[in-house]
Amino acid sequence: MHKFKKANFIVLTIVILTILLSGCELESSENFQDNIGDLVVHYIDIGQGDSIFIQLPNGETSLIDGGPKANSNVVVNYLKEMKIEKVDYLIATHPHEDHIGGLPEVVKNFEIGKIYMPDKVANTAIFESLLKEIKAKDLKISVPSSGEYLIDTDDLKYQVLAPNGEKYENTNDYSIVSKITFKDNSFLFTGDAEKTSEKEMIGKGYDLTADVLKVGHHGSSTSTTEEFLLKVDPDYGVISLAKDNKYGHPHKEIIELLNKKGIDILRTDELGNIIIKSDGKDIEILNGYSKENSIKETVYEEENYIGNKNTKIYHSPDCGSLPKEENQIIFKSKEEAEKEGFKPHEKCIK
């Protein structure tokens, strides 16, 4: 694993090694037992982040990410409302707060089977908190290999497709990408994987086709290339994000690309919790979505830029080197940032 830059985080690395070597209300009134035999995927309206709960047809469960810390109670309450007691497969796609922030409370409140995380650490309090909760329950962390199957039966497969490399400049490309195939239907979960990871998956020759795509990185233009989308060829594209978020997600070019390909777009900022059910043959949207009643004109605001008050450098909203939130200042344009004496970050601003 990568080493922390600061000495006080060396302890966390030891904790990780020890673990590796040792051991809002639900919109549907149906509880977990009602859907045994079907695949039901819940894209939880967690705000600006990701949290996806999966009821597997074999009676097991999976949770991919837990959203931001501020909304930890949303995920916990959602699972408790469904009378869930155990998460069999817990995946933390990558160590960004909007994906792992709610996971410490999940680990604390539920029985956990297997935990999967990429080979990437973060020197953040929330990452430390997650590790402490995992250690407190004497659980193990597995670092999955691309191509590995978490479940491999005739009718049900749960496969990891990324990451395919060991070192990336951008933490998002460490995202664990997984695919669930249930008979004739399949779902692809991409975390925040960006263009580099997408290209690697294509190069590996994986079967990326899916009926439902969790659109990468909240609809950011850093993900979902046209080449990748052609390989996936989904009927539905689900975007998890908060309304009026500061990053300008979803980006205009991604919405236009999805529309161009005739893909139905389902957004948590517009629909709330999105629940999709498969019997292995047909896909059904359980929470009232229909293409006819959801078509609306999307109004795009100017893409924001994020300045660092300390360094006087401004960044694109998807830069991997964004300052801590307390040091951020938001600009509506490059011109506004530069008028205030900020200079562009050489790696993310072209």
Side-chain angles (χ1 to χ4, degrees), residues 121-223:
V121 298
N123 57 347
T124 60
I126 193 62
F127 187 72
E128 179 180 3
S129 177
L130 176 56
L131 295 182
K132 286 182 177 178
E133 293 299 336
I134 292 171
K135 183 169 175 58
K137 285 196 168 181
D138 197 27
L139 296 167
K140 298 179 182 179
I141 296 173
S142 296
V143 178
S145 302
S146 60
E148 176 181 343
Y149 284 92
L150 311 187
I151 299 173
D152 188 9
T153 65
D154 289 342
D155 289 342
L156 178 65
K157 298 184 186 297
Y158 197 169
Q159 186 181 21
V160 173
L161 303 179
N164 289 283
E166 296 181 355
K167 291 185 179 180
Y168 298 98
E169 282 190 18
N170 194 324
T171 298
N172 288 334
D173 281 320
Y174 286 93
S175 289
I176 294 174
V177 176
S178 58
K179 178 181 176 180
I180 294 179
T181 303
F182 176 43
K183 297 180 182 179
D184 295 335
N185 295 143
S186 53
F187 292 69
L188 187 62
F189 308 99
T190 57
D192 279 357
E194 299 195 357
K195 295 175 183 179
T196 296
S197 181
E198 291 177 356
K199 185 176 181 180
E200 288 175 343
M201 284 185 276
I202 294 169
K204 283 275 188 176
Y206 289 128
D207 177 9
L208 298 172
T209 57
D211 298 284
V212 184
L213 168 67
K214 201 293 294 188
V215 177
H217 200 184
H218 321 291
S220 167
S221 59
T222 61
S223 303

Side-chain angles (χ1 to χ4, degrees), residues 39-56:
L39 173 63
V40 185
V41 181
H42 303 247
Y43 302 84
I44 303 173
D45 181 13
I46 199 67
Q48 187 63 21
D50 271 14
S51 187
I52 303 166
F53 178 66
I54 303 165
Q55 299 169 243
L56 294 159

Side-chain angles (χ1 to χ4, degrees), residues 170-319:
N170 194 324
T171 298
N172 288 334
D173 281 320
Y174 286 93
S175 289
I176 294 174
V177 176
S178 58
K179 178 181 176 180
I180 294 179
T181 303
F182 176 43
K183 297 180 182 179
D184 295 335
N185 295 143
S186 53
F187 292 69
L188 187 62
F189 308 99
T190 57
D192 279 357
E194 299 195 357
K195 295 175 183 179
T196 296
S197 181
E198 291 177 356
K199 185 176 181 180
E200 288 175 343
M201 284 185 276
I202 294 169
K204 283 275 188 176
Y206 289 128
D207 177 9
L208 298 172
T209 57
D211 298 284
V212 184
L213 168 67
K214 201 293 294 188
V215 177
H217 200 184
H218 321 291
S220 167
S221 59
T222 61
S223 303
T224 317
T225 63
E226 185 165 9
E227 182 184 11
F228 183 73
L229 198 58
L230 285 171
K231 292 290 185 181
V232 180
D233 191 26
D235 295 319
Y236 299 97
V238 179
I239 308 177
S240 181
L241 72 165
K243 186 176 181 180
D244 299 325
N245 64 84
K246 66 183 179 183
Y247 305 104
H249 296 154
H251 291 161
K252 181 178 181 181
E253 50 266 55
I254 298 303
I255 295 298
E256 289 177 344
L257 179 60
L258 294 170
N259 285 330
K260 174 184 171 184
K261 302 299 180 185
I263 298 164
D264 287 358
I265 302 169
L266 290 76
R267 297 169 47 166
T268 59
D269 63 330
E270 295 177 349
L271 300 171
N273 301 320
I274 296 167
I275 308 169
I276 305 179
K277 179 177 178 179
S278 163
D279 61 4
K281 182 179 179 181
D282 297 312
I283 296 286
E284 180 184 1
I285 313 299
L286 294 185
N287 54 326
Y289 167 85
S290 70
K291 188 168 184 177
E292 291 73 23
N293 67 24
S294 70
I295 293 176
K296 61 179 74 175
E297 183 178 353
T298 302
V299 178
Y300 296 96
E301 297 179 359
E302 293 181 76
E303 182 174 341
N304 293 327
Y305 293 89
I306 300 173
N308 185 325
K309 295 176 184 177
N310 294 329
T311 64
K312 293 290 185 179
I313 300 292
Y314 71 92
H315 306 254
S316 72
D318 297 311
C319 181

